[in-house]
Amino acid sequence: MRIQPGIYRHYKGPEYRVFGVARHSETEEQVVVYQALYGEYSLWIRPLSMFLESVDVDGERVPRFALVQAEDDLFSRGAP
């Protein structure tokens, strides 16, 4: 499965840049690779299924991460 690279807003407010989906070398689980756009700009990974799920906020279902601005996929091109 693919995910649109770009800027996403977490339901708690902070924004992140999503680079794409990677695969865990041992389990082959798909994980999203993303970077915080605040503080130390640290890199993070989260299981794709968790990244895409909705959460309950004040009795309302909202996406955990919502796309704010799409960006080009840097990794979709074939290797030279």
PDB file of all heavy atoms in Angstrom, residues 5 13 17 20 29 36 46 48 50 54 57 62 79:
ATOM      1  N   PRO A   5       2.898  11.177  -0.079  1.00  0.00           N
ATOM      2  CA  PRO A   5       3.877  11.987   0.654  1.00  0.00           C
ATOM      3  C   PRO A   5       3.368  13.415   0.795  1.00  0.00           C
ATOM      4  O   PRO A   5       2.601  13.903  -0.041  1.00  0.00           O
ATOM      5  CB  PRO A   5       5.113  11.945  -0.238  1.00  0.00           C
ATOM      6  CG  PRO A   5       4.934  10.737  -1.089  1.00  0.00           C
ATOM      7  CD  PRO A   5       3.452  10.630  -1.310  1.00  0.00           C
ATOM      8  N   GLY A  13      -2.639  18.439  16.670  1.00  0.00           N
ATOM      9  CA  GLY A  13      -2.206  19.737  16.177  1.00  0.00           C
ATOM     10  C   GLY A  13      -0.878  19.812  15.455  1.00  0.00           C
ATOM     11  O   GLY A  13      -0.769  20.525  14.467  1.00  0.00           O
ATOM     12  N   ARG A  17       6.055  15.806   8.104  1.00  0.00           N
ATOM     13  CA  ARG A  17       6.286  15.531   6.678  1.00  0.00           C
ATOM     14  C   ARG A  17       6.397  14.018   6.510  1.00  0.00           C
ATOM     15  O   ARG A  17       7.258  13.384   7.113  1.00  0.00           O
ATOM     16  CB  ARG A  17       7.551  16.202   6.182  1.00  0.00           C
ATOM     17  CG  ARG A  17       7.927  15.751   4.758  1.00  0.00           C
ATOM     18  CD  ARG A  17       8.984  16.607   4.113  1.00  0.00           C
ATOM     19  NE  ARG A  17       8.314  17.817   3.619  1.00  0.00           N
ATOM     20  CZ  ARG A  17       8.598  19.048   4.044  1.00  0.00           C
ATOM     21  NH1 ARG A  17       9.529  19.252   4.954  1.00  0.00           N
ATOM     22  NH2 ARG A  17       7.949  20.085   3.552  1.00  0.00           N
ATOM     23  N   GLY A  20       7.084   8.449   3.046  1.00  0.00           N
ATOM     24  CA  GLY A  20       6.542   7.291   2.353  1.00  0.00           C
ATOM     25  C   GLY A  20       6.410   6.102   3.276  1.00  0.00           C
ATOM     26  O   GLY A  20       6.503   6.216   4.494  1.00  0.00           O
ATOM     27  N   GLU A  29       6.303  -5.837   8.074  1.00  0.00           N
ATOM     28  CA  GLU A  29       5.208  -4.916   8.373  1.00  0.00           C
ATOM     29  C   GLU A  29       5.463  -3.585   7.674  1.00  0.00           C
ATOM     30  O   GLU A  29       6.592  -3.096   7.640  1.00  0.00           O
ATOM     31  CB  GLU A  29       5.119  -4.684   9.880  1.00  0.00           C
ATOM     32  CG  GLU A  29       4.039  -3.681  10.264  1.00  0.00           C
ATOM     33  CD  GLU A  29       3.987  -3.410  11.758  1.00  0.00           C
ATOM     34  OE1 GLU A  29       4.997  -3.608  12.450  1.00  0.00           O
ATOM     35  OE2 GLU A  29       2.920  -2.993  12.218  1.00  0.00           O
ATOM     36  N   ALA A  36       8.949  15.133  12.234  1.00  0.00           N
ATOM     37  CA  ALA A  36       8.283  16.225  12.942  1.00  0.00           C
ATOM     38  C   ALA A  36       8.705  17.554  12.329  1.00  0.00           C
ATOM     39  O   ALA A  36       9.877  17.740  12.001  1.00  0.00           O
ATOM     40  CB  ALA A  36       8.657  16.189  14.426  1.00  0.00           C
ATOM     41  N   ARG A  46       5.793   4.669  12.184  1.00  0.00           N
ATOM     42  CA  ARG A  46       4.566   4.192  12.834  1.00  0.00           C
ATOM     43  C   ARG A  46       3.955   3.164  11.883  1.00  0.00           C
ATOM     44  O   ARG A  46       3.985   3.345  10.664  1.00  0.00           O
ATOM     45  CB  ARG A  46       3.607   5.365  13.021  1.00  0.00           C
ATOM     46  CG  ARG A  46       2.301   5.009  13.722  1.00  0.00           C
ATOM     47  CD  ARG A  46       1.362   6.193  13.779  1.00  0.00           C
ATOM     48  NE  ARG A  46       1.872   7.256  14.612  1.00  0.00           N
ATOM     49  CZ  ARG A  46       1.437   7.522  15.843  1.00  0.00           C
ATOM     50  NH1 ARG A  46       0.485   6.791  16.383  1.00  0.00           N
ATOM     51  NH2 ARG A  46       1.929   8.523  16.525  1.00  0.00           N
ATOM     52  N   LEU A  48       1.694   1.461   9.366  1.00  0.00           N
ATOM     53  CA  LEU A  48       0.785   2.082   8.401  1.00  0.00           C
ATOM     54  C   LEU A  48      -0.658   1.997   8.863  1.00  0.00           C
ATOM     55  O   LEU A  48      -1.404   2.969   8.775  1.00  0.00           O
ATOM     56  CB  LEU A  48       0.949   1.418   7.029  1.00  0.00           C
ATOM     57  CG  LEU A  48       0.026   1.901   5.922  1.00  0.00           C
ATOM     58  CD1 LEU A  48       0.238   3.381   5.628  1.00  0.00           C
ATOM     59  CD2 LEU A  48       0.232   1.075   4.663  1.00  0.00           C
ATOM     60  N   MET A  50      -1.866   1.954  11.832  1.00  0.00           N
ATOM     61  CA  MET A  50      -2.106   2.910  12.914  1.00  0.00           C
ATOM     62  C   MET A  50      -2.115   4.342  12.378  1.00  0.00           C
ATOM     63  O   MET A  50      -2.923   5.171  12.797  1.00  0.00           O
ATOM     64  CB  MET A  50      -1.034   2.774  13.999  1.00  0.00           C
ATOM     65  CG  MET A  50      -1.266   3.663  15.199  1.00  0.00           C
ATOM     66  SD  MET A  50       0.039   3.523  16.428  1.00  0.00           S
ATOM     67  CE  MET A  50      -0.434   2.000  17.201  1.00  0.00           C
ATOM     68  N   SER A  54      -8.619   6.068  12.451  1.00  0.00           N
ATOM     69  CA  SER A  54      -9.316   7.193  13.074  1.00  0.00           C
ATOM     70  C   SER A  54      -9.308   7.007  14.576  1.00  0.00           C
ATOM     71  O   SER A  54      -9.199   5.886  15.080  1.00  0.00           O
ATOM     72  CB  SER A  54     -10.753   7.281  12.572  1.00  0.00           C
ATOM     73  OG  SER A  54     -10.767   7.613  11.202  1.00  0.00           O
ATOM     74  N   VAL A  57     -12.266  11.749  19.383  1.00  0.00           N
ATOM     75  CA  VAL A  57     -11.927  13.019  20.027  1.00  0.00           C
ATOM     76  C   VAL A  57     -13.245  13.692  20.399  1.00  0.00           C
ATOM     77  O   VAL A  57     -14.019  14.070  19.518  1.00  0.00           O
ATOM     78  CB  VAL A  57     -11.094  13.927  19.091  1.00  0.00           C
ATOM     79  CG1 VAL A  57     -10.824  15.266  19.758  1.00  0.00           C
ATOM     80  CG2 VAL A  57      -9.805  13.252  18.681  1.00  0.00           C
ATOM     81  N   VAL A  62     -12.166  11.115  14.125  1.00  0.00           N
ATOM     82  CA  VAL A  62     -11.341  11.955  13.255  1.00  0.00           C
ATOM     83  C   VAL A  62     -10.111  11.158  12.844  1.00  0.00           C
ATOM     84  O   VAL A  62      -9.675  10.253  13.567  1.00  0.00           O
ATOM     85  CB  VAL A  62     -10.912  13.269  13.957  1.00  0.00           C
ATOM     86  CG1 VAL A  62     -12.120  14.122  14.315  1.00  0.00           C
ATOM     87  CG2 VAL A  62     -10.071  12.994  15.175  1.00  0.00           C
ATOM     88  N   ALA A  79      15.397   2.944  -9.689  1.00  0.00           N
ATOM     89  CA  ALA A  79      16.824   3.167  -9.446  1.00  0.00           C
ATOM     90  C   ALA A  79      17.539   3.384 -10.770  1.00  0.00           C
ATOM     91  O   ALA A  79      17.166   2.803 -11.783  1.00  0.00           O
ATOM     92  CB  ALA A  79      17.410   1.967  -8.714  1.00  0.00           C
TER      93      ALA A  79
END
